Amino acid sequence: MTAPTTEKDAVACAEEPPDTGARHKLTAVTGLAALSLDAMASVAYGPEAVVLVLAAAGGHGLGFTVPVTLAIAGLLAVLVASYRQVIAAFPEGGGSYAVARTHLGRRTSLVAAASLVLDYVLNVAVAVTAGVAALTSAFPGLYGDRLWICLAVLVLITAVNLRGIVDSARAFIVPTAVFVGAILVLIVVGLFRDAPVSTEASVGHASVLADNATTVGALLLLKAFASGCSALTGVEAIANAVPSFRAPAARRAMRAEVALGVLLGVMLIGLSVLISRFGLQPVEGVTVLAQLADASLGHEWAFYVVQFATMVLLALSANTSFGGLPVLLKLLARDDYVPHVFGLKADRQVHRHGVVWLAGVSALLLVFSGGDTNTLVPLFAIGVFVGFTIAQTGMVLHWRATRQWAKAALNGLGALLTGVSAVVVTAAKFHDGAWLILIALPLFVALFETVHCAYGRIDARLGGGKIPEPPRRTRSLVLVPVSSLTRLTSEALTAAVSLGDEVRAVTVCHPDPEDQAQTEALERDWALWNPGIELVRLSSERRSLGRPITAYVRDVAAAHLDTRVTVLIPEAEPEHLWQRLLQNQRGAVVAHAVRRDTDAVICRLRFRLSD
């Protein structure tokens, strides 16, 4: 490396440190944009979920909208405080999985990981279908093509994330800012209204309010609370993806977590206050958020801005999963619970295999549901409550070990609340498809265990963790399959004599006259060429290429027990990808047969063709 030749060069070198990948990581602001879209977008359906449940008790039940929302906001505060501590205690990321692995044992950590994987995958499918549903509500003519639109949106989000999490965050800053700004303006303007400015959005739509209902039971309030907690999905995403932040990663992630909690809490409480202030009633075919925008801003351009921002953010909220799940899969790969390929990073600090896997599974869910949100929603949010409960239970043990009883009590309260919510949501949605989650969770845990056992067996066979025997030199024999005399043959034999003590060329001859004539011609040309290497003819009664070569390899290995046999397979590599279709794939056939039936070393020599 050349040293700076001038003082100016030295200063420039000092000001420009080597690229360590920091520019491909998140700041607090870009982290908020990349990892909070799920939570932010939940204000579009969280308050509505509460109202729809309370509507079963009539107008009297709707009066409990604000108290229930305040309880949800209180739980949100507990979760934000808890995950802020999770970030500090587990800066390597992983959220509830990392907490459970440390404090609750391996099996519980796998349950947490399985619940997170399910939630992340379902979040992508629900977010995309919900965003497209908002689009088709505005343009009914697109309804028949909703599945293709969903898949197109998924491809777009995947492509952005394959460019790097920072690029995706930058792309989503503007939609996030527009949505949050629109909701805050809606709330502030609405607080200064004495009555709705407009009710045009709900005119002509049937009310879903129950008739003659005058009592509100504790079970109904608990169900409303559990349904409204769907607004809390995504709170854990920042804690799961701490390594994606720039240094100091934990501090930036904690700032993003607090900002998310404040914004989400303000929006949830503000919207619930407006629901009570305007006495809104849920109607079929119109969202509660649309009614609030209509009541506060009027049925003009501002109303459509809110709707369009909601539609865009719902569709893009799938990005939360693309930011969190690949990091979780990396941790699972490090612990041998998923294939190690999920731990690899691309040039832009992207866990590309995790992104592609998430996109593929989500696409299957979209096809399965036909792009219909209602098919997927019953499966959503159960997994995240399981993760919430496990994480906070683990943090109770964490604080108990250090005798910080106040923090332990806070996390214990959170664990109790989220645990109750998980049970209530599962029971309420069991017949709507929640039973699938109860089956999928243990299946994922079993899959993790299977992969872990497989890696354990591989590690035992390889002697992992033990000092191996020192290397020793053995006699080596290199076999080179040939079918004609070309430059490729010469290059293969040149490589072979560099690798082994002895080299033999082998050719397979079949009984038909044409093949016999071709083999005899090769033997005559070989004798004239005289490369100093023996050409061995292998006769085969069947039109097979791999079997006679593997049989010869076994015979040689049996006759020379102290010899290392290597099969060097020469292959031409075309200049253009499409030209590979012109090849006969003989090399791949031989390599597969030798790998399957012998212990010989396989070496595939690529000879690049160029004009």
Side-chain angles (χ1 to χ4, degrees):
M1 181 176 179
T2 304
T5 57
T6 67
E7 182 178 354
K8 183 177 180 180
D9 292 334
V11 172
C13 290
E15 291 177 348
E16 296 181 8
D19 182 14
T20 59
R23 64 192 181 92
H24 296 301
K25 291 182 176 288
L26 300 169
T27 63
V29 174
T30 55
L32 189 64
L35 300 171
S36 68
L37 294 180
D38 178 18
M40 293 290 187
S42 66
V43 302
Y45 51 79
E48 183 164 7
V50 174
V51 170
L52 287 174
V53 174
L54 294 177
H60 186 61
L62 292 177
F64 287 86
T65 300
V66 172
V68 171
T69 304
L70 288 174
I72 294 171
L75 177 57
L76 171 64
V78 172
L79 288 173
V80 169
S82 174
Y83 276 104
R84 191 173 182 274
Q85 297 303 321
V86 169
I87 291 169
F90 299 91
E92 74 277 10
S96 58
Y97 168 69
V99 176
R101 184 186 57 192
T102 303
H103 296 293
L104 298 175
R106 184 175 62 86
R107 186 61 58 84
T108 305
S109 71
L110 294 183
V111 175
S115 68
L116 286 172
V117 170
L118 288 172
D119 185 66
Y120 277 137
V121 173
L122 285 167
N123 173 60
V124 173
V126 170
V128 171
T129 56
V132 172
L135 176 66
T136 56
S137 296
F139 303 99
L142 298 176
Y143 184 79
D145 299 320
R146 65 190 184 280
L147 175 58
W148 295 109
I149 299 174
C150 286
L151 294 174
V153 171
L154 178 61
V155 169
L156 175 63
I157 297 173
T158 304
V160 171
N161 277 276
L162 286 175
R163 288 188 54 81
I165 191 169
V166 170
D167 286 340
S168 67
R170 290 170 181 162
F172 299 149
I173 284 178
V174 173
T176 304
V178 171
F179 176 79
V180 172
I183 297 299
L184 293 179
V185 169
L186 183 157
I187 293 171
V188 172
V189 172
L191 291 175
F192 286 95
R193 304 286 191 191
D194 294 326
V197 176
S198 170
T199 58
E200 184 176 342
S202 58
V203 171
H205 294 269
S207 173
V208 298
L209 198 66
D211 297 328
N212 303 321
T214 58
T215 59
V216 180
L219 184 60
L220 185 68
L221 291 176
L222 195 61
K223 185 176 179 181
F225 171 80
S227 296
C229 281
S230 60
L232 303 181
T233 57
V235 172
E236 80 290 350
I238 293 175
N240 291 337
V242 179
S244 298
F245 285 82
R246 293 181 187 175
R251 187 180 304 172
R252 292 181 187 273
M254 285 191 286
R255 290 174 183 172
E257 186 74 45
V258 172
L260 169 61
V262 171
L263 287 174
L264 184 56
V266 168
M267 288 190 290
L268 288 174
I269 294 173
L271 292 176
S272 68
V273 169
L274 291 186
I275 291 172
S276 296
R277 185 181 184 89
F278 294 143
L280 294 184
Q281 300 178 4
V283 298
E284 295 179 356
V286 180
T287 65
V288 169
L289 185 59
Q291 292 187 66
L292 287 175
D294 195 28
S296 294
L297 306 174
H299 206 78
E300 299 178 359
W301 64 270
F303 169 83
Y304 291 101
V305 168
V306 173
Q307 293 305 103
F308 183 76
T310 303
M311 176 194 71
V312 172
L313 203 72
L314 277 169
L316 297 183
S317 63
N319 196 67
T320 297
S321 296
F322 283 98
L325 181 59
V327 175
L328 175 63
L329 291 177
K330 179 200 74 171
L331 296 178
L332 289 169
R334 182 195 65 188
D335 296 336
D336 295 338
Y337 290 114
V338 298
H340 290 168
V341 70
F342 287 110
L344 301 179
K345 278 187 177 181
D347 294 339
R348 291 174 172 264
Q349 300 296 305
V350 180
H351 295 96
R352 185 164 293 170
H353 295 279
V355 170
V356 172
W357 181 86
L358 174 59
V361 177
S362 300
L364 292 176
L365 280 176
L366 291 174
V367 173
F368 166 75
S369 66
D372 181 34
T373 308
N374 294 328
T375 304
L376 298 169
V377 166
L379 310 178
F380 189 46
I382 297 173
V384 75
F385 282 122
V386 173
F388 283 162
T389 305
I390 290 175
Q392 299 211 63
T393 302
M395 290 305 293
V396 169
L397 299 180
H398 178 79
W399 299 128
R400 191 177 69 176
T402 56
R403 297 185 179 279
Q404 299 185 55
W405 303 114
K407 293 181 178 180
L410 181 65
N411 289 127
L413 176 62
L416 176 63
L417 293 176
T418 54
V420 169
S421 298
V423 172
V424 172
V425 172
T426 303
K429 299 180 178 181
F430 185 82
H431 293 291
D432 296 326
W435 58 271
L436 286 172
I437 300 299
L438 300 181
I439 295 176
L441 274 174
L443 285 179
F444 265 102
V445 172
L447 177 63
F448 295 153
E449 292 280 21
T450 302
V451 173
H452 189 71
C453 290
Y455 276 124
R457 289 193 295 269
I458 292 172
D459 191 59
R461 292 290 299 274
L462 296 178
K466 300 178 181 178
I467 298 177
E469 296 179 358
R472 64 184 188 280
R473 179 176 176 80
T474 59
R475 181 176 178 275
S476 59
L477 169 63
V478 182
L479 304 178
V480 182
V482 298
S483 58
S484 59
L485 196 56
T486 64
R487 185 181 172 187
L488 178 61
T489 307
S490 175
E491 291 287 342
L493 295 178
T494 299
V497 296
S498 302
L499 294 174
D501 299 313
E502 180 184 354
V503 177
R504 299 179 192 175
V506 296
T507 185
V508 178
C509 179
H510 301 112
D512 57 275
E514 181 181 352
D515 202 66
Q516 291 277 358
Q518 183 178 352
T519 302
E520 291 171 0
L522 174 61
E523 290 175 333
R524 287 195 301 270
D525 293 341
W526 196 275
L528 292 174
W529 183 38
N530 191 20
I533 295 173
E534 178 186 2
L535 176 65
V536 180
R537 178 196 286 206
L538 304 178
S539 299
S540 175
E541 296 297 326
R542 299 182 179 181
R543 298 294 301 183
S544 173
L545 184 64
R547 289 181 181 178
I549 293 177
T550 56
Y552 184 71
V553 170
R554 287 197 299 268
D555 292 342
V556 170
H560 305 280
L561 297 178
D562 59 341
T563 299
R564 173 78 66 178
V565 179
T566 299
V567 179
L568 188 148
I569 304 170
E571 296 176 289
E573 184 173 302
E575 182 179 12
H576 303 290
L577 182 62
W578 68 268
Q579 292 175 335
R580 295 183 182 181
L581 299 174
L582 306 178
Q583 295 179 295
N584 56 24
Q585 306 300 322
R586 291 166 63 95
V589 172
V590 173
H592 175 72
V594 173
R595 182 182 296 111
R596 181 190 59 198
D597 298 330
T598 73
D599 293 327
V601 177
I602 299 173
C603 179
R604 301 180 72 170
L605 174 68
R606 303 285 188 177
F607 182 74
R608 294 187 177 181
L609 304 176
S610 58
D611 296 336

